[in-house]
Amino acid sequence: MQLPLPSVGLERAAGILEAVILAALAMLCLHLYQRYRKPYFAWFAAAWAMYVLRMGAILSFLTTARPEWLYWHQVFTGWTALALLWAALVFVRQPHWKHRYFLVALFPPIWSYIAIYRLDHFVWAALPAVLFLSFATLATGWVFFRHFDRVGGAGAGLLAGSFLLWGVHHLDYLILRAQGAWNPWGYYLDIFFELAVGTGVLLLVLDDLRRGLGALGALSGDLQRAGREDQDVLAALLERPLALPGVSGTALYMRRDDGVHCVRGAGACADWPSTPSPELAGTLNQAMATGRPQLGVAAARRGREDLFQAVLPVFRGSDASGALVLTGNARDPFAALDEGFMVTLGQQVGAGLANADLTRRLHLRTVELARLSARMVEQHEEERRRLSRELHDETAQVFSAVKMELGVLREGVPDEAATRIDHALELVDTGIRGIRSVVHSLRPSLLDDLGLLPALRSLITEFTHRSGLAVTLTAPSTLAPLSKDAELALFRALQEALSNVARHAEAGAIAVSIRQDDVHLELAVQDDGQGLPAGITPDTIERPGHMGITGMRERIGALGGTVTVEAPSGTGVRVLVTVPIAGSGSKTSQQGLTA
């Protein structure tokens, strides 16, 4: 074949520049392979290295015009295109090598020999090689385009566009470049595509790391915001990865005494059986034994082929006690390049499950304590009721009988003795009044007879007469229905709050207000006293020996309510009590009281 030999000049300089850039790209991909240990980076590095050999061959041909250098230039050109295509396939589909692929790899050396040493017609010699090169490059672009269509990302999009345009650009060889019309601009255009591909590879790394870190951050937030029940945490754990591109299902497997079992699945894995298949069981055991993620292509399931699978070990402490399985139709379903990231994810998942277990047990203990507190309050009130009944029915009756006997006795005694009996009658009256006061404090009869609002008004009136403090009450005309326990708790809370003001506040006036909505009833007690003592804050008000606020919080907390103490500077102390209206209490409080 008569070979066209273009002028050396600028073409050699452009070729040297392209070779330097290709060597840099090869070093970059080799570094990425050493960093992430992903095989497609090794194939990219091999492709760029062969491209460097291609440039060395064409530069040698330009210098010596010897046909063997053109032969190797053509061979390395075909092999470079095949290496780039295989790198794309390994990145996107992870195919297994088959022996028949050698036949494709044999085309460049065989046809290059025929074209250079056996054919004399330039077009027929170059056309098959150009079509082969263009087809391989276009196929590489198509592979990345399919990946971009499934997963998205700037890196896959740039690679798809670059290889598709590069494949079209190869078709101009017969018309322009082989005739020297593109020199040296054809080299510069190749450099442009090479740099675009290198940039796309770097963007792939950044896209994967961005997705991985974003998923880890979102999962961490989900675990922190998850509810107190295990199923809520599992839902956050399994649903979050489904939002990632290409992920179709997730499943959590945990190790038990009788083997590894599926705890729960989501998406395409929602109906997976409890017992894994032998193939999956082996992968799960390997991931938990080595503590390293296992990535690969799962067996076809329900007619779907190339179902990708990632198995991430889940850690409890330093040991892997389970594994999180992710499946999808895109490479590495949980798209993070760094294996250390996936190990960290497993540790995050394990920590989230451990925290959920601790939270669940703490919740159960809290419910038990709430139940115990409610029981103690109930027993306390029962004891108050018993003492009130005994004082009213026995002691008060005895005093009344003594008063009657003294009255009969007084009618038949001298005046001197009558005076002393009158004094005794006054003492008996004082004792009866004291007993009635104690009975009223132990169990307010107005609360049972007239309801909460009249009982509170009566309590305020009595407190005003006894203490001399001005107390105002702002309340609606009627109150929403409350349980008996809630009415008694509010009465006791107001009783304790007024008593605290009288004992400690040195106040001149007290404002009591009641507000309600569809969910809660709020009782506020505000005084104009000196506020909290020095060194005492609302958070440290529950001191040893000062159990009033503590008892109030236990009583209100058992109902699902809250007690808040506020002490703004110079405005006294404000006690705010909130209880749920009947039928609107939280599930937690209801469970705690009824369990």
Side-chain angles (χ1 to χ4, degrees):
M1 180 183 72
Q2 184 68 30
L3 301 172
L5 185 62
S7 61
V8 177
L10 294 176
E11 186 174 358
R12 178 185 296 165
I16 293 174
L17 175 63
E18 185 176 359
V20 171
I21 293 175
L22 290 168
L25 290 175
M27 295 297 294
L28 171 64
C29 292
L30 183 62
H31 170 73
L32 292 175
Y33 173 72
Q34 293 176 340
R35 173 66 178 83
Y36 297 109
R37 293 297 175 183
K38 298 292 183 177
Y40 39 83
F41 286 133
W43 280 105
F44 272 119
W48 298 130
M50 280 190 284
Y51 213 143
V52 172
L53 295 177
R54 171 187 181 272
M55 296 308 302
I58 192 60
L59 291 174
S60 299
F61 172 71
L62 292 175
T63 302
T64 65
R66 298 180 60 177
E68 57 266 26
W69 289 117
L70 184 60
Y71 168 80
W72 284 111
H73 165 262
Q74 294 295 100
V75 171
F76 284 128
T77 298
W79 282 352
T80 298
L82 291 178
L84 289 172
L85 175 59
W86 184 253
L89 290 172
V90 172
F91 174 78
V92 175
R93 307 302 296 169
Q94 297 180 349
H96 297 289
W97 178 261
K98 298 178 182 179
H99 295 301
R100 63 174 178 267
Y101 294 160
F102 280 113
L103 298 177
V104 180
L106 288 176
F107 175 82
I110 292 175
W111 182 256
S112 296
Y113 176 80
I114 295 173
I116 294 175
Y117 294 106
R118 293 289 182 264
L119 294 179
D120 293 330
H121 196 283
F122 171 75
V123 174
W124 291 111
L127 181 60
V130 170
L131 292 178
F132 178 86
L133 176 62
S134 179
F135 175 80
T137 307
L138 290 172
T140 305
W142 177 251
V143 170
F144 280 115
F145 176 78
R146 290 292 303 275
H147 182 74
F148 172 76
D149 185 53
R150 290 192 182 99
V151 177
L158 179 59
L159 286 172
S162 299
F163 278 110
L164 291 174
L165 292 176
W166 204 0
V168 174
H169 168 61
H170 289 321
L171 295 175
D172 67 20
Y173 178 79
L174 293 175
I175 303 173
L176 298 174
R177 286 199 290 175
Q179 309 301 325
W182 271 94
N183 292 329
W185 306 111
Y187 287 92
Y188 296 147
L189 192 57
D190 282 339
I191 290 174
F192 170 78
F193 286 120
E194 291 155 7
L195 292 176
V197 171
T199 303
V201 171
L202 289 178
L203 289 178
L204 284 180
V205 178
L206 295 178
D207 286 341
D208 277 0
L209 292 179
R210 175 181 55 81
R211 290 193 189 104
L213 293 176
L216 181 62
L219 179 61
S220 177
D222 288 341
L223 292 175
Q224 293 177 6
R225 292 189 298 269
R228 294 180 177 272
E229 299 295 331
D230 277 343
Q231 295 302 316
D232 293 336
V233 175
L234 287 178
L237 169 65
L238 297 175
E239 293 293 337
R240 171 58 62 178
L242 294 178
L244 293 172
V247 176
S248 59
T250 56
L252 178 65
Y253 285 83
M254 299 302 293
R255 178 182 288 148
R256 299 175 182 170
D257 294 337
D258 57 344
V260 180
H261 294 275
C262 180
V263 177
R264 186 175 174 182
C269 305
D271 58 348
W272 280 17
S274 174
T275 303
S277 64
E279 178 186 1
L280 179 58
T283 306
L284 292 169
N285 289 325
Q286 184 176 3
M288 289 185 286
T290 61
R292 299 180 60 183
Q294 304 296 315
L295 307 175
V297 180
R301 190 183 304 276
R302 295 187 182 276
R304 294 180 58 188
E305 297 181 354
D306 294 329
L307 188 66
F308 287 86
Q309 179 175 279
V311 179
L312 312 182
V314 173
F315 294 89
R316 292 286 186 94
S318 59
D319 299 326
S321 59
L324 179 65
V325 178
L326 298 96
T327 62
N329 60 356
R331 184 267 322 162
D332 290 2
F334 208 51
L337 292 173
D338 195 349
E339 183 176 291
F341 159 77
M342 291 184 282
V343 172
T344 303
L345 174 66
Q347 294 172 340
Q348 177 77 11
V349 171
L353 293 176
N355 290 338
D357 183 58
L358 291 175
T359 301
R360 179 185 59 83
R361 286 189 286 176
L362 178 60
H363 174 61
L364 293 177
R365 179 62 59 87
T366 302
V367 170
E368 292 176 358
L369 291 176
R371 188 187 305 120
L372 177 62
S373 176
R375 180 60 180 167
M376 292 178 63
V377 169
E378 182 182 347
Q379 290 179 345
H380 189 197
E381 289 299 327
E382 183 62 31
E383 186 65 17
R384 282 173 172 263
R385 191 179 297 109
R386 185 186 64 82
L387 289 176
S388 174
R389 185 171 54 252
E390 289 183 359
L391 287 174
H392 181 273
D393 296 342
E394 297 181 14
T395 308
Q397 296 301 324
V398 170
F399 270 86
S400 297
V402 170
K403 182 178 180 180
M404 293 177 61
E405 291 294 334
L406 289 175
V408 173
L409 182 62
R410 183 186 183 284
E411 295 177 357
V413 297
D415 293 340
E416 182 179 354
T419 302
R420 301 187 64 181
I421 291 176
D422 289 339
H423 181 65
L425 287 172
E426 292 177 0
L427 293 177
V428 170
D429 288 337
T430 302
I432 292 175
R433 286 194 298 271
I435 289 175
R436 288 176 179 173
S437 176
V438 171
V439 168
H440 180 73
S441 298
L442 288 174
R443 183 69 184 181
S445 58
L446 285 177
L447 190 61
D448 297 327
D449 298 337
L450 300 179
L452 177 61
L453 194 55
L456 296 180
R457 295 184 188 277
S458 175
L459 175 62
I460 291 174
T461 300
E462 181 183 350
F463 175 81
T464 300
H465 291 161
R466 186 174 66 252
S467 65
L469 297 177
V471 183
T472 59
L473 173 63
T474 303
S477 57
T478 59
L479 297 181
L482 297 172
S483 65
K484 293 294 184 182
D485 291 335
E487 290 183 347
L488 182 58
L490 284 171
F491 182 88
R492 296 296 186 202
L494 180 58
Q495 192 178 46
E496 179 63 32
L498 293 176
S499 177
N500 286 339
V501 173
R503 290 198 304 266
H504 308 297
E506 297 184 7
I510 305 173
V512 180
S513 63
I514 298 176
R515 295 188 302 172
Q516 61 184 2
D517 53 28
D518 295 336
V519 180
H520 295 95
L521 186 144
E522 181 182 278
L523 170 67
V525 181
Q526 172 75 59
D527 66 71
D528 62 352
Q530 62 181 357
L532 296 177
I536 302 298
T537 66
D539 296 331
T540 61
I541 195 171
E542 299 180 21
R543 297 169 292 164
H546 296 75
M547 302 301 292
I549 296 296
T550 301
M552 191 187 305
R553 281 178 171 160
E554 289 181 354
R555 188 186 297 270
I556 298 298
L559 299 169
T562 59
V563 177
T564 305
V565 179
E566 302 172 354
S569 177
T571 60
V573 176
R574 183 172 185 258
V575 178
L576 183 63
V577 180
T578 303
V579 297
I581 293 175
S584 64
S586 65
K587 293 181 179 180
T588 300
S589 63
Q590 293 171 5
Q591 293 172 353
L593 293 174
T594 60

